[in-house]
Amino acid sequence: MGVSSRKRALWLGGLMALGFTVFSWRLLDLQVNRADYYKAIATEKHCARQTIYSRRGAVMDVNGVPLASNEPVKTVVVDASVVKRPEILLELLSKHLQIPLGQLQEKLTRQKWDATENKMRPAPYIVIKREVPEQVAEALRTEAASKNVRGLVFEQDSVRVYPNGDMLCHVVGFVNRENKGVEGVERSMEEWLKGHDGFRYSEHDRTGKEMVAFRRMERPARDGANVRLTVDMVLQDIVESELDAAVKQFRPKMITCIVMRPGTGEVLAMANRPHYDLNQREGVADESRKNRAIMDMIEPGSTFKVVTSAAALDCKLVRPETSIYCEHGRFMYGGTTLHDSHHGYGDLTVNDIVVKSSNIGVAKLGIMLGDQRLYEYIKRFGFGDRTGIQLPGEIGGIVHSPRSWSKISITHIPMGHEVGATPMQVISAMSTIANRGRMMTPQIISSISDSSGAVLASYPPVEVRQVVPPEVAEPLVSALKEVVSKKGTAPLAHVPGFEVAGKTGTAQKTSPGGGYERGKYLVSFAGFLPADKPELCALVILDEPIPGNIPYYGGYIAGPIFSKIAQRAARHLNLVPKTEFLKVGGSLVENKRGSGQ
Amino acid sequence: MMSPNRRKNANLLPVAKIFTAIVVLVTIGGGSLYYVDAKNELHRCGQRKKELERELLAISTRDEVVTSRIAKMSSFDSLRKRQIVDKEAFARLTPVADTLVVRMPEPAAAPRETQVRTVSNLQPNR
């Protein structure tokens, strides 16, 4: 081999080595250095992320009656880029979806700028209608298939439905378009109800069809948990029907009723008027959406006298039989005159002060207690603080500290004036007395379970505190029993077969400009039965009822409503009636009620 | 002229090698065909899986629709509305009048097995 051929061979070898080096470097660059970049491009082209939607959990009553559930619906979408016979498609859509042809035509002629072809093209994604029922979508799909119409896409969706419409509306609440709880349990239990969407990465062929065999990472959707309430829909139905009857009879501005189990604090029923249909919420006034049981602040009136009496008894300032002079109905204090609303009384025992609902008697008990002690007991009964019920928007009410009390506050607060309380706080205080001084947290959620029924969380009764000892609560219960007798202010609250204990309330409404409004009252009755072993405690409040020829007192307006509710509720709860309590004071209460007293 | 030894060598067929090559080729070919077939089967299974998933979704959707309809029709609200519209047909549910309720005293608890009981010596009239 000559020198020149050897050189040529070296050159050739060198060039080949260089070429291979360049290719190797390029290979390394593609496979190692820029691997992630190209992998991402390839993945984007062939691999898609599919969302697996979760279902929102259901809300049900204590017996499993559904209160909020999901209904599958379809969103009808048109891909205008593949539509071949638009006139048939238009006709089909108009016929099945009840949309005017003109409106549809306007939608279908929408165009979108295509950057790759540099021109306008028919839009590939036009939403025609949302929340189309399954049957309608199925009929449309079948007819479109038979007529060989292309371009129709049906996307799976779901809507929240409330089978009971307006019943328990303030408690259940509703969701917005994004399926997020806005009010009621739907909002307070959002974290449990909402569920978590899953996802799946899978490869697609060049036509865009999923290649199931090449599915990659997958995380299944986790459905929302089911929330079980403490509410019993049979009791709720009883309450709602009686409130409807009361609205017809008294035409009040609002009514609120809460039924509670005193031993556990479970809310068995809760209803307000005005109310609204959860399935037709458009145009509903804010006032109708308000859950007045926990959001309305009222002056509790005479029902509050149990708090003052319990405080005076617990401080051992008086005994039930201690006599208090009630000034024959006119008591001058701090430059103002305090009146007794029913009659003027001379000497009354503490027991009778509660039975007769004497303002002067209870004001004197307040004076005996003094500012600080009275304030402490009010707070111990839970006024001025949220009760902690699992509903959103609860307010704490207003209880001013003694520093800001006026000279006459000590005579007004004991009878339930100058105190802002929610109906929930009032029934909670009455339940505390019924429960012999033991205060329980009001509960509306019973348990949380998954779709298989396994309990994820339960809410056992929670004791807040022993407000007063049973020895103090017991004589108070005796006094409250007498309230529902011929001697007391609420004989019409009697429930045949049961011994009822309770307290009436008739509070003049406060004026926004200060003072009280003449002729505008808030009447209430809070009671429980059987008095010796309470199974249910109920509160009925009516705002500005029009009583007709019935006296304007809680015992005459709210008392009979309580009686009707309690009578039907006792039957449902299987409470055993006792023959000795069939009558009150020797005459049947039914006769009195019939006469319109 | 070719030597006899060389001719002998040139005419010999390398049967073993050819056989090995054929076996290798058949194995590779067969394996490839099996691979393609398996791949196709995988696709078919994938399609079947997709169809089944679709069917399952359709069934569960139908189930949800029916459950929702049952809940609506059997709801308290619906029953109340039906009661108002058609008082006669709605199971004729009327509240039981108090006069029709027989109230019985609570039954006395039966004594326990081990409890000593008094024996009645009363004889029936003869």
Side-chain angles (χ1 to χ4, degrees), chain A residues 47 226 272 315 330 354 360 437 460 481 520:
Chain A
C47 191
N226 298 327
N272 301 286
C315 291
R330 285 173 62 85
V354 177
I360 296 169
K481 284 180 198 170
K520 289 187 175 178

Side-chain angles (χ1 to χ4, degrees), chain A residues 55 66 71-72 134-135 161 163-164 166-167 210-215 233 237 240 244 571 577 582, chain B residues 39 42-43 46-47 49-50 53 60-61 64-65 68-69 71-72 75-77 80 96 98 103 106:
Chain A
R55 286 193 183 91
E71 188 178 304
E134 282 287 329
Q135 311 93 287
V161 286
N164 288 289
D166 52 15
M167 279 180 78
E210 187 198 359
M211 293 159 76
V212 184
F214 297 102
R215 275 183 184 169
M233 279 307 275
D237 186 45
E240 302 253 1
D244 284 338
R571 205 174 280 168
L582 275 177
Chain B
K39 201 93 168 166
L42 201 65
H43 276 287
Q47 290 309 312
K49 188 178 171 184
K50 186 90 185 158
E53 277 177 356
S60 78
T61 304
E64 271 185 67
V65 170
S68 168
R69 206 180 303 166
K72 262 187 212 166
S75 68
F76 281 83
D77 187 54
R80 272 169 73 187
V96 180
D98 214 57
R103 300 184 197 283
E106 275 185 74

Side-chain angles (χ1 to χ4, degrees), chain A residues 49-247:
Chain A
R49 186 185 196 272
Q50 254 183 312
T51 305
I52 307 168
Y53 294 103
S54 61
R55 286 193 183 91
R56 191 175 172 84
V59 181
M60 53 188 107
D61 88 334
V62 72
N63 299 312
V65 174
L67 305 174
S69 54
N70 307 307
E71 188 178 304
V73 286
K74 291 273 194 291
T75 300
V76 178
V77 177
V78 166
D79 179 357
S81 64
V82 295
V83 173
K84 297 275 185 255
R85 294 145 75 193
E87 64 290 340
I88 299 176
L89 180 65
L90 278 172
E91 191 191 310
L92 272 180
L93 290 172
S94 176
K95 180 180 144 193
H96 287 278
L97 305 179
Q98 315 290 325
I99 304 174
L101 269 173
Q103 203 179 320
L104 276 172
Q105 209 145 20
E106 190 194 322
K107 276 189 175 181
L108 284 183
T109 47
R110 264 181 222 159
Q111 296 209 317
K112 203 183 164 193
W113 179 255
D114 189 342
T116 51
E117 292 187 18
N118 245 1
K119 64 175 184 182
M120 294 295 281
R121 290 192 57 164
Y125 189 86
I126 304 167
V127 176
I128 302 296
K129 197 174 181 182
R130 291 180 196 278
E131 296 179 12
V132 177
E134 282 287 329
Q135 311 93 287
V136 178
E138 199 49 49
L140 176 61
R141 189 205 300 270
T142 313
E143 200 171 343
S146 69
K147 290 185 174 171
N148 209 14
V149 175
R150 288 182 68 196
L152 260 182
V153 181
F154 297 89
E155 286 181 356
Q156 191 64 53
D157 201 355
S158 75
V159 284
R160 198 75 166 155
V161 286
Y162 303 95
N164 288 289
D166 52 15
M167 279 180 78
L168 201 66
C169 56
H170 298 105
V171 172
V172 176
F174 57 88
V175 295
N176 61 13
R177 196 173 273 279
E178 283 79 45
N179 242 4
K180 203 172 168 199
V182 176
E183 276 181 16
V185 170
E186 289 273 32
R187 181 171 164 189
S188 62
M189 291 286 123
E190 173 68 17
E191 283 306 308
W192 285 105
L193 286 166
K194 73 177 178 188
H196 294 276
D197 289 345
F199 62 83
R200 169 192 295 150
Y201 286 100
S202 57
E203 285 193 26
H204 289 237
D205 63 14
R206 65 187 179 85
T207 59
K209 269 171 86 176
E210 187 198 359
M211 293 159 76
V212 184
F214 297 102
R215 275 183 184 169
R216 293 179 183 186
M217 195 166 51
E218 182 170 333
R219 195 183 75 187
R222 207 174 70 213
D223 290 343
N226 298 327
V227 173
R228 193 178 282 257
L229 306 185
T230 56
V231 173
D232 183 334
M233 279 307 275
V234 178
L235 286 180
Q236 183 70 24
D237 186 45
I238 291 169
V239 168
E240 302 253 1
S241 59
E242 293 301 340
L243 289 199
D244 284 338
V247 167

